[in-house]
Structures are given as structure tokens and as C-alpha cells.
Amino acid sequence: MELNDANLQTLTEFLRKTLDPDPSIRRPAEKFLESVEGNQNYPLLLLTLLEKSQDNVIRVCAAVTFKNYIKRNWRIIEDEPNKISHSDRTAIKANIVNLMLSSPEQIQKQLSDAISIIGREDFPQKWPDLLTEMVNRFGSGDFHIINGVLRTAHSLFKRYRHEFKSNELWSEIKLVLDTFALPLTNLFKATIELCQTHATDINALKVLFSSLTLICKLFYSLNFQDLPEFFEDNMETWMTNFHALLTIDNKLLQTDDEEEAGLLELLKSQICDNAALYAQKYDEEFQPYLPRFVTAIWNLLVSTGQEVKYDLLVSNAIQFLASVCERPHYKHLFEDQNTLTSICEKVIVPNMEFRSADEEAFEDNSEEYIRRDLEGSDIDTRRRAACDLVRGLCKFFEVPVTAIFSGYVSSMLGEYAKNPGGNWKHKDAAIYLVTSLASKAQTQKHGITQANELVNLTEFFVNHILTDLKSPNVNEFPVLKADAIKYVMIFRSQLPKEQLIQAIPLLIAHLQAESTVQHTYAAHALERLFTMRGPNNTTLISAAEMAPFTEQLLNNLFKALSLPGSSENEYIMKAIMRSFSLLQEAIVPYIPTLIGQLTHKLLLVSKNPSKPHFNHYLFESLCLSVRITCKANPTTVGSFEEALFPVFTEILQNDVQEFLPYVFQVMSLLLEIHSNSIPNAYMALFPHLLQPVLWERSGNIPPLVRLLQAYMEKGGTTIATTAADKIPGLLGVFQKLIASKANDHQGFYLLNSIIEHMPTEALIQYRKQIFILLFQRLQSSKTTKFIKSFLVFVNLYGVKYGAIALQEIFDSIQPKMFGMVLEKIVIPEVQKVSGPVEKKICAVGITKVLTECPAMMDTDYTKLWTPLLQALIGLFELPEDDSIPDDEHFIDIEDTPGYQTAFSQLAFAGKKEHDPIGDAVCNPKIHLAQSLHKLSTACPGRVPSMISTSLNAEALQYLQGYLQAATVQLV
């Protein structure tokens, strides 16, 4: 693509169409951009547009498109085409920093993100001058530019907060500190001085305080891994200024907005974070400064209001106290009973109150409320911080703290009892207090695993929780109902089973509540209860115990999906999946009705997939419906196909990328249930499955391979007779997969199925080419994974076509090739093969080579006979050799970056492991003994002499054992 006006004009038109709400205009435009993004100059055209376009909307759109393009394509992946040319990469890196710094803030943010994505891959090795270029801009004095640099540095360095320690990481951080720490410290001091100079200029202060907040964030990132020498030497400068900033209160920077945190709050929140980091990790060095920070942060807490804008500040300040109070060093600061009472009264209880803002979120922004409350993304909420502080204090002061709070809980419950309608928030706070007091350790899987002995959870459940669950009006006091449900859910491992069973019908009733939070919690609680393990590794609650409630449970779950705000509620769908899985054949009578509802839902969400978890559980539920029903009666598979195929066809025709891997898995499941023939509907689809475009997306590969394997298994002969012209396409897929280190094992899965199930004559003309492709790959990159797969394939070929055919095909490619493969690959590497079926295939294949291949007995190959037998005995007896050469980088199969939906394995579409040899050989050791016996009777004397001259003593002993077990001997 040339950099010219015509192309800029075309690009502008398509970018504008991608903003169109009408999918029939938007989708084709997105497809067009996707199709041209591989062209040279495409990213430079986007950068030109975002710099020069007259239309601001187009500039922002170009910036977002550019950032997403970089996110998808910048990383170079082995075996995959490099989507961005070298010259484009160089041009981008040469211009992007300047462009970012001169752009308006909206665009600056996008380009700043793009720089950090590029930096993640290229900095420091391939982009050594990035930091110096950025640091030099500190001298410009223009804070629009300086903030651009700081913002970019923040997005570049914040990964240091969660990276694992490594030498590479240390050397990168050292390089950053050498270049950046001193200029950052000087900038910090200069900015604070400027704040004093411009103390009355509101506009200047706004810019300066946003700089200070970014500087404080950078401080956190650069100090996270370890305490750098530079910062230790300059601790006085940083800590004195941090302390001063915590205590300032510039009236000009106070905002009237009650919701949005202002610059002062953001800066002080970050300083609390920085102080907590030092108190936790570098407590010895930080000790001299700690008391004044505790005082300043305490004063901050008792003087800050309840408005939402202070939430982040208050929660970070409380988290600071929480991190300090659980360190033995600082225990003395909290020992006094008055101090504890004061913390409980002035900090913990006020911040556990359910405020009107929480009530609004509960009613109007339920998704966010659930995310914070259930999923623990409430890191920055006051309640979560107060709860952490309770836990921290209980570490050393459990008895006094429990006593103080028990008083509060009693008085709150007393207030509620006087006037439930007016004082329900008191009970909410009491439940929250009891929960935070009782929880010592918690996991996602089991809820609370360790509880405070001083709190009687069962008694509290009976007296205060059950009453809310049993209340006949499910829509009254929804917050308290949600609290009660959550109590059952988090203390499920602590409450006796009879109370859980008592709660189940009540939870089922709450699925009909109008409140989204309430019916979501009910679904989530049921789902969690259904996954609890009982004795003997069974579920704690059995299908039989659920029998009285089954119909109501299924009815209410499906009805809940039609409640406002819950049409794609992932918790409800997960509860449906888990109910199916628990109830098993008890759901069969309901499936004819339910499958219609599930497919209708699938059709709706496929129009615009937006909730990945919901969609995943929806497909899992479909798989369970199919498996459970067809297990009882395999002939019902046809009715599932009738219900599902119209929707699947639409998904395939509209190329709904997110759903294709799921559709292929469900189709595999359906096809695998058929007895040995392929229905016409599947055959009509077969050519489409070989289209190269489907195989471009890594997420499609595992499920498509499995689907093609199902085609081979059920209809290898049908394909050979009615679709023989498609065999080259099938082998083309194998060739593509085999060339990739990440997917070569999938290529072998496909090839093994072709060899096992296709008629011999259909493959004769292709066999030699298959082996040549494998040898080419062996020469170009011989990885352990490839060798293991290659060995299984070679032996499977020998089992299927016989040892002579195997020897002949190798030797037809190149004379003596068979011997080279045995000597260089089979004998030294067979120990690496893993997996019972794979080992069995290799054992039976090698046995055939040893006993059914005349060339092994009377040619140059004879010298390999004993080493091959020795290797086979080693495969049986030695531990698996799982060593990997030092220089070999094993690609994580799932870890391919970018936007593609990675392959999501459906747990309930699971495939049984297939043994191609089956009962023909039950015990490979006995099979070896019998085959050697047969060989020795055909040429008496040869076998014992070959064994006795060169088989080592240990192997010989094992072999004697096999012969005895098979009750045969060698002659």
C-alpha cells in the first residue's frame, strides 16, 4: 500500500464505517481492514491519519485501530508469518515517541499503550535509545510532554510489579534505574517546588499534581522487585516529600464532585500504596519513617468523609494499616486496648456501613456490584480494606478484637430488631462484620477454609440467616437476602450438611427474585454447593437428595435467564451446567424442552457474542445434554442434530470466530456417538472444514483436528469412495500443521487417524510424500515433541501395514534409510515416548520389526537387531526419559498471543482415549515373548545366539521373565 492520498481517503472511509452501529456496514469494514493489515505501510497510513486528519473522530479511531494492530501483530512468533515488515517496524519506532508527545491527550494515551506493547517485546535490546529519548524530554519544561513521557514510562514499567524474578528482568531494571532514577528524582523535587511557586494557579496545579501522581506510580514499580541502592540512598528525599504531600490540603484542588476522585485523593492514595510497599518489604530500612506515616495516615482516615470520591484513598490508607499491624516488628503500636477500640470504632465500623452509593450500585449497576463483592475485584473498596484490617488485627489480638466487635454486632442486630424496615442496614453491617471476623483463610473452591473459633457460625446461621432465607416474600429486603445467600456460600465448608440441604429449596426460591444481585447469588451459591466433595470422592449432595427439588431447580434456573438484566448471566448458566452434571440421567425427561431453550439462547448470543464465560457454560450445558441423553439412548443423537445444526450452520456461515472452536467440539461429540457411518449432513460440511482460512486461527486447530479424526473413525471408507478428491486437501492440512513447532503434534493426531481408518488403496499414492515431508521437518528442526510423535507414527504404520512395508517405504526414499532411522532415532529416543497407549503402539511396532522383517535377520541391518531389542526392553522397564536438550525452547501450546480466542477446551465434550491396537495385544511384554518364540521356531538357533552374544545381563533377565510369563521358550 503506497503512502498516498487515495489510500488515506480509502482508509478514512473504512474507519468511519467501523464506527457504524449497523453490523451489515460495520462487519464488512472490519473484515476489509483485517484483510489489508498485512500490507506494507498499513501502520504508517494509520499514523499519518492520526496525525493529520482534519476529523477528530477519525484521528481517535485511527489511534485505537493502530494500538490494536500493534497488540495483535508486533510479537514475532516462531513458525508464524511476521505480519509487520522490518521497514515498517523501524519507521514506527523512529516516529512514535515524537508523535505521542505532540498529540492531544486522547490520542497520546493510545500511542503510549502502543509504545509499551512494542517496548515489552523490543526494549531494551531492539530499542536501546527509547529511554534516553524519553528522559531528554524532562528538560523541555512542557508538562504536556513530561506527562506523556511519565504515562508511557508507567505503562512500560508497571509489569515489574508482577513479573517473576529472573536475571533478564534484573538486568533490564538495572538499566532503567541507571538511566531513569536520578532524572525522576530531580523531576520529583522540581515539581514539588513548582507546586509551591504556583500554589494559587489552579490550572498549573492540576497538571503538576497529575505529574506527581505518575511519578509516585513509577516509584512503586521501580521499587517493587527489590530495594534499589539509588532509592535507599535517597530515601530521605522521597519519604520526607511523601509525608509532606500526605498532609497538604490545597483548597483549590478540592472538588465538589462526590463520585469522582480528585487529584489530591489520587496522589495520596498512591503514597499510601508506596508506604505500604516499604512497610511490608523493606521494614528495616523504613523503620525510622514508619511512626510519622502511621500518624499521618491515621489522621487522614479519621478526617476523611464517607463520599465515594474518597474510596480509593480510604481503602489504600486502611490497607497500609493492615499491612503494618500484621508485622511482628510493629505489633507494639497496636497493643494498647484503647488503640484497638479506637481503630474498631473510628476506622473499621464506619467503613463497613452500606452507603447509599452501595445501594445504588446494588440496584442499578448490579454487574459491577457482583464483580466487586463476589469475584474479589473489590480490592479498592472500603469494606474489603476494613475486612483485611480486621484479619490483620486478629493475627495478634484475636481475643480483644473479637470481644470489641461482638459488642458492636449485638447492638447492630438490636437496632435492626427494633425497626427492620428502617434499620436493615444495621443488620447488613453486622453480617459483614461477622463474616470478616470469622474468615481466617479462604479459597475460591471451598469458601472459608479456616474460621475464628470464637465465632459460632452455626448459631448465627440459625438465628439470623435462616430467617431471611425463609421469608415468604423473596423481594423484600433484597440486600439482606443477598447477604444471607452469600453467608451460606462462603461458610459452606463450615456449616453442617443438614443445614445446607435445608438451604437448597430456599436458594431455589430466591432464583425468582427480581433483584439481579439476589438471583445471581442464589445461582452461584447452588453451583458452589453442587461442587462440594463428600466422602469417597463423590459430591457432598447427591442426585437422589436433589430429587424432590429437581423440577423446581431447572424451572427456576431457566426462568431466571428471562429476568431483566440476566439474559446472559454467566452465574445462572454455570449453575445450569453444574445442575446437569450433578443430576445426570435425572435430567433426561426435561431435555426435550430444555434443549429448545438452550439452542434459542445460542442463536441469540451468536449475533453478538459479548460474554465469554456465559457462552462457554452454554456450550458445556449443550455437551452435557447430549452426553447424558445419548448415554441412556444413543439413537437420540439425531434429534440433537436436528435442533443444533440450523444454529451451527448460521454460526459457520457468519464466521462467528469466538464460537467456531466450540461448534467443532460439539459436532465431534455428536459424530463420535454415531455407530460406524457418517450422516449426509456431515459429509456436506466436510469440504468446508479443509478451507485454509479456518486453519489460520490457532484456536480452531485442536477442535478441528478432533472433528476430522471423528470423520476418519466413522467414515474413512466413505470419504475414500465418495470424496477421494478431498484427500489431498486433508493431507495439505497435515502438511501445514507439521511445519509448526506449536501444532506438529496435532498434525500427527490427524495423520495417525488417516493411517488407521482410511483404506490402504486410498493412500498408496501419497505414502512416500508423507514420509518425505516428515524427514524434511526432522532435518530443519528436530524437537523432542516432534521425535516422540514421529516414533508413535512410524510404529503405528508398522502395526497397520506390517514391518516389511515399513522397511520398504524407508528404503525406497533412500537406500539404507531404514537402518539410519532405527540407529539414529528409534534406538536412542524411544525411551522418551510417554503415555500408555503411545508406549504400547511403539512396543508392538518394534516387536514387528524384530520378528516379522526378514531384512533384520540377514542383511546389514542385523547388527541393529539386539540394540533394538535392548531399547524395547528399556521402554518396558526403565523410567521414562523426560530430559529435554538445554537449548530447546518448548513452546507452550496454548500460549499464542494476540486477540484470537485461544482454544477453550469444553470439559464435558471430553474425548475418551483411543487405543488403535485394542484387544489384539493386551500385554506387549507377553506379545514380544510369543513373537520371539515364533521367530525362533522359523530359524532355530539364531535368536538365542544373537541374544546371548550382545544383550546385557539385566535386559536378558527381564526377557527371561517375559518368556516365563508367556510359557514359551526360544529354540
Side-chain angles (χ1 to χ4, degrees):
M1 292 173 86
E2 295 296 312
L3 272 171
N4 57 32
D5 289 348
N7 279 335
L8 287 170
Q9 188 54 42
T10 309
L11 198 53
T12 305
E13 283 164 22
F14 278 103
L15 284 172
R16 188 167 282 117
K17 286 179 184 170
T18 62
L19 302 172
D20 199 296
D22 178 353
S24 65
I25 296 173
R26 188 179 71 247
R27 282 242 170 92
E30 290 167 348
K31 283 266 186 280
F32 170 78
L33 291 178
E34 204 180 304
S35 71
V36 297
E37 71 173 23
N39 296 350
Q40 190 163 346
N41 291 334
Y42 171 75
L44 306 183
L45 283 164
L46 285 173
L47 288 178
T48 310
L49 273 186
L50 70 84
E51 184 184 11
K52 299 192 172 148
S53 171
Q54 300 302 305
D55 182 339
N56 210 29
V57 173
I58 292 298
R59 291 182 71 187
V60 174
C61 183
V64 174
T65 307
F66 175 78
K67 180 195 73 179
N68 290 337
Y69 163 82
I70 293 293
K71 196 171 181 177
R72 273 200 306 277
N73 300 314
W74 193 272
R75 180 186 283 189
I76 298 171
I77 307 160
E78 200 173 6
D79 297 333
E80 300 210 359
N82 176 356
K83 299 266 184 69
I84 307 179
S85 71
H86 181 68
S87 59
D88 281 358
R89 286 174 186 270
T90 312
I92 289 169
K93 286 192 287 197
N95 295 307
I96 191 166
V97 175
N98 263 336
L99 197 52
M100 183 268 296
L101 296 174
S102 58
S103 298
E105 195 165 328
Q106 242 186 324
I107 292 171
Q108 194 178 69
K109 282 185 172 156
Q110 299 297 333
L111 291 180
S112 172
D113 284 351
I115 292 173
S116 69
I117 296 163
I118 297 170
R120 177 85 210 245
E121 299 300 319
D122 290 14
F123 174 78
Q125 275 80 16
K126 295 185 198 161
W127 202 358
D129 50 357
L130 170 64
L131 266 198
T132 15
E133 193 180 347
M134 283 165 50
V135 169
N136 290 341
R137 305 306 173 94
F138 284 166
S140 67
D142 176 342
F143 271 84
H144 174 71
I145 289 179
I146 289 171
N147 280 354
V149 172
L150 291 172
R151 202 175 289 119
T152 305
H154 172 52
S155 56
L156 206 54
F157 303 153
K158 68 180 174 198
R159 69 185 178 89
Y160 300 157
R161 301 173 181 197
H162 44 75
E163 290 270 308
F164 287 120
K165 289 180 165 53
S166 69
N167 289 338
E168 201 180 345
L169 181 69
W170 289 119
S171 54
E172 182 181 323
I173 293 177
K174 185 178 181 319
L175 177 88
V176 169
L177 289 165
D178 291 347
T179 319
F180 208 78
L182 180 61
L184 186 71
T185 308
N186 293 338
L187 180 68
F188 182 47
K189 291 191 289 195
T191 310
I192 287 175
E193 282 169 23
L194 285 169
C195 289
Q196 285 151 1
T197 318
H198 296 282
T200 54
D201 178 349
I202 176 69
N203 292 327
L205 284 177
K206 279 184 176 171
V207 176
L208 294 168
F209 267 75
S210 55
S211 307
L212 284 172
T213 306
L214 284 164
I215 291 169
C216 290
K217 285 177 189 285
L218 286 165
F219 176 91
Y220 189 87
S221 300
L222 294 175
N223 282 273
F224 190 87
Q225 289 279 342
D226 204 353
L227 178 55
E229 196 179 333
F230 177 87
F231 285 104
E232 192 175 347
D233 295 344
N234 289 273
M235 200 183 290
E236 180 66 30
T237 302
W238 284 91
M239 292 305 153
T240 312
N241 282 312
F242 281 164
H243 183 261
L245 289 170
L246 269 182
T247 51
I248 61 163
D249 190 14
N250 190 314
K251 295 282 179 278
L252 289 176
L253 285 169
Q254 288 179 352
T255 55
D256 297 332
D257 189 334
E258 291 198 355
E259 299 280 323
E260 198 69 39
L263 289 166
L264 259 182
E265 289 79 50
L266 291 172
L267 175 61
K268 290 182 179 185
S269 308
Q270 187 57 48
I271 291 173
C272 288
D273 255 358
N274 294 355
L277 176 75
Y278 265 56
Q280 275 175 319
K281 294 185 106 169
Y282 318 123
D283 47 4
E284 214 172 295
E285 295 84 353
F286 187 56
Q287 213 145 10
Y289 303 94
L290 182 88
R292 66 179 106 153
F293 273 91
V294 170
T295 311
I297 287 173
W298 173 258
N299 291 335
L300 196 66
L301 279 169
V302 293
S303 61
T304 302
Q306 284 280 9
E307 292 84 356
V308 174
K309 68 173 171 183
Y310 300 124
D311 283 6
L312 180 66
L313 172 57
V314 169
S315 72
N316 280 1
I318 297 176
Q319 289 290 5
F320 167 77
L321 288 182
S323 63
V324 171
C325 75
E326 59 180 18
R327 313 287 294 179
H329 275 68
Y330 311 132
K331 186 175 155 188
H332 62 277
L333 294 170
F334 299 89
E335 267 167 345
D336 182 41
Q337 179 75 23
N338 294 335
T339 308
L340 284 174
T341 309
S342 178
I343 290 176
C344 296
E345 182 187 324
K346 293 184 175 154
V347 175
I348 292 171
V349 172
N351 286 302
M352 283 203 174
E353 283 172 13
F354 194 77
R355 298 166 305 168
S356 50
D358 300 314
E359 199 174 347
E360 276 172 33
F362 184 95
E363 288 167 6
D364 304 330
N365 192 358
S366 50
E367 225 170 279
E368 182 56 30
Y369 183 92
I370 292 163
R371 191 174 299 123
R372 286 209 313 245
D373 193 42
L374 265 195
E375 298 172 17
S377 74
D378 58 348
I379 293 297
D380 52 3
T381 63
R382 293 173 180 242
R383 282 192 143 186
R384 166 72 175 267
C387 184
D388 288 347
L389 180 52
V390 173
R391 266 183 218 173
L393 289 169
C394 282
K395 187 167 176 182
F396 294 120
F397 313 109
E398 188 167 54
V399 175
V401 169
T402 306
I404 294 167
F405 280 140
S406 300
Y408 278 109
V409 169
S410 303
S411 75
M412 287 168 173
L413 290 169
E415 288 300 310
Y416 167 74
K418 284 181 208 165
N419 174 10
N423 294 342
W424 61 265
K425 287 185 183 178
H426 288 280
K427 181 168 182 181
D428 167 80
I431 296 174
Y432 205 87
L433 247 180
V434 168
T435 305
S436 52
L437 204 55
S439 328
K440 276 188 169 177
Q442 185 167 6
T443 66
Q444 193 67 39
K445 197 170 176 187
H446 302 292
I448 301 297
T449 52
Q450 199 184 348
N452 179 338
E453 311 285 311
L454 307 169
V455 181
N456 188 330
L457 291 169
T458 307
E459 192 181 287
F460 191 82
F461 173 77
V462 173
N463 295 339
H464 302 289
I465 298 293
L466 212 48
T467 46
D468 284 333
L469 288 176
K470 283 182 164 171
S471 137
N473 178 357
V474 291
N475 293 318
E476 187 184 30
F477 302 135
V479 175
L480 292 182
K481 299 281 199 319
D483 289 340
I485 296 168
K486 188 180 173 194
Y487 185 95
V488 175
M489 181 172 65
I490 63 175
F491 291 117
R492 60 186 181 276
S493 297
Q494 311 295 322
L495 295 168
K497 179 176 173 178
E498 52 275 16
Q499 291 187 343
L500 298 179
I501 296 280
Q502 191 183 358
I504 283 177
L506 306 174
L507 293 171
I508 291 172
H510 285 280
L511 288 168
Q512 294 187 291
E514 287 162 13
S515 154
T516 304
V517 175
Q518 194 182 335
H519 62 243
T520 301
Y521 280 21
H524 187 48
L526 287 163
E527 190 273 330
R528 294 285 81 197
L529 292 179
F530 293 166
T531 53
M532 290 177 72
R533 284 186 191 280
N536 314 326
N537 217 13
T538 53
T539 52
L540 179 70
I541 292 161
S542 67
E545 287 167 318
M546 285 301 297
F549 321 123
T550 297
E551 187 160 343
Q552 200 59 50
L553 169 71
L554 295 172
N555 260 338
N556 286 9
L557 279 169
F558 276 87
K559 269 193 210 154
L561 285 175
S562 57
L563 290 166
S566 278
S567 63
E568 291 182 42
N569 185 320
E570 65 185 68
Y571 291 97
I572 297 172
M573 191 44 83
K574 192 176 188 183
I576 290 173
M577 169 193 86
R578 201 68 72 189
S579 304
F580 282 9
S581 176
L582 175 74
L583 297 166
Q584 290 293 324
E585 55 274 12
I587 65 167
V588 171
Y590 306 100
I591 287 295
T593 325
L594 300 183
I595 197 73
Q597 295 184 44
L598 289 170
T599 44
H600 178 63
K601 183 61 78 179
L602 177 58
L603 188 60
L604 293 177
V605 294
S606 68
K607 305 279 187 245
N608 184 18
S610 57
K611 296 281 181 69
H613 288 103
F614 177 86
N615 300 334
H616 187 92
Y617 301 136
L618 171 56
F619 277 103
E620 291 281 19
S621 303
L622 287 169
C623 289
L624 278 161
S625 315
V626 171
R627 285 180 72 152
I628 293 166
T629 314
C630 295
K631 187 177 165 188
N633 178 4
T635 56
T636 51
V637 67
S639 52
F640 282 107
E641 287 164 347
E642 273 171 40
L644 290 166
F645 270 33
V647 191
F648 286 179
T649 308
E650 193 156 323
I651 289 169
L652 290 165
Q653 280 170 347
N654 294 331
D655 189 26
V656 184
Q657 294 187 20
E658 297 89 332
F659 281 6
L660 294 184
Y662 291 126
V663 167
F664 297 142
Q665 287 176 82
V666 182
M667 287 183 65
S668 305
L669 180 66
L670 292 165
L671 183 51
E672 286 158 7
I673 291 166
H674 279 276
S675 49
N676 292 323
S677 64
I678 296 195
N680 292 337
Y682 289 90
M683 280 310 292
L685 185 65
F686 182 64
H688 301 286
L689 301 179
L690 305 175
Q691 287 173 355
V693 61
L694 282 179
W695 296 88
E696 292 299 324
R697 300 180 204 140
S698 57
N700 287 345
I701 290 173
L704 264 178
V705 166
R706 175 181 170 189
L707 182 54
L708 290 180
Q709 284 184 287
Y711 270 90
M712 298 299 112
E713 189 189 332
K714 300 298 174 188
T717 318
T718 315
I719 289 170
T721 48
T722 64
D725 56 329
K726 297 292 173 281
I727 295 175
L730 195 58
L731 293 170
V733 169
F734 150 74
Q735 183 174 356
K736 178 181 168 51
L737 294 174
I738 219 78
S740 147
K741 283 187 194 169
N743 296 314
D744 48 17
H745 61 297
Q746 297 285 351
F748 277 111
Y749 292 160
L750 183 58
L751 180 59
N752 292 345
S753 287
I754 292 172
I755 294 294
E756 186 186 347
H757 299 293
M758 279 242 174
T760 315
E761 58 282 3
L763 294 175
I764 285 176
Q765 56 181 313
Y766 305 110
R767 279 197 236 170
K768 189 169 174 180
Q769 190 54 36
I770 289 171
F771 277 89
I772 289 170
L773 286 171
L774 293 176
F775 281 121
Q776 285 169 346
R777 167 63 210 273
L778 266 175
Q779 282 171 324
S780 66
S781 83
K782 176 178 155 185
T783 64
T784 306
K785 177 156 74 83
F786 186 86
I787 294 277
K788 285 159 74 166
S789 302
F790 177 76
L791 284 168
V792 174
F793 161 71
V794 166
N795 284 297
L796 182 69
Y797 189 94
V799 171
K800 174 81 192 266
Y801 296 123
I804 298 175
L806 185 65
Q807 178 242 319
E808 284 174 350
I809 195 152
F810 277 129
D811 288 346
S812 71
I813 293 170
Q814 187 185 321
K816 305 273 190 289
M817 173 74 96
F818 182 57
M820 283 189 272
V821 171
L822 290 180
E823 190 177 358
K824 297 284 190 307
I825 301 175
V826 180
I827 294 168
E829 305 281 9
V830 74
Q831 207 59 45
K832 289 195 163 79
V833 173
S834 54
V837 173
E838 288 82 354
K839 285 183 161 184
K840 182 176 175 182
I841 292 169
C842 289
V844 176
I846 292 173
T847 300
K848 278 189 176 293
V849 170
L850 286 167
T851 60
E852 295 175 19
C853 178
M856 288 297 288
M857 297 300 283
D858 47 20
T859 64
D860 290 353
Y861 296 155
T862 312
K863 65 177 185 296
L864 298 171
W865 193 90
T866 318
L868 185 61
L869 176 61
Q870 175 105 22
L872 174 54
I873 295 170
L875 177 67
F876 288 144
E877 306 300 345
L878 293 174
E880 182 188 316
D881 170 13
D882 54 7
S883 64
I884 291 169
D886 294 339
D887 59 341
E888 184 173 315
H889 166 61
F890 242 127
I891 312 104
D892 185 351
I893 297 155
E894 306 303 347
D895 178 30
T896 39
Y899 266 127
Q900 296 190 347
T901 34
F903 166 56
S904 297
Q905 175 85 49
L906 289 169
F908 295 111
K911 184 183 181 194
K912 291 198 290 288
E913 185 161 39
H914 168 66
D915 175 0
I917 295 168
D919 296 337
V921 174
C922 294
N923 181 333
K925 295 178 184 178
I926 287 181
H927 175 66
L928 170 66
Q930 290 166 338
S931 305
L932 286 172
H933 167 70
K934 195 170 161 192
L935 175 68
S936 75
T937 49
C939 43
R942 287 284 305 277
V943 177
S945 78
M946 279 165 35
I947 288 173
S948 59
T949 50
S950 46
L951 195 67
N952 78 22
E954 202 180 350
L956 188 57
Q957 207 174 343
Y958 282 123
L959 183 60
Q960 299 296 353
Y962 308 159
L963 293 163
Q964 276 169 355
T967 60
V968 294
Q969 47 193 336
L970 303 179
V971 294

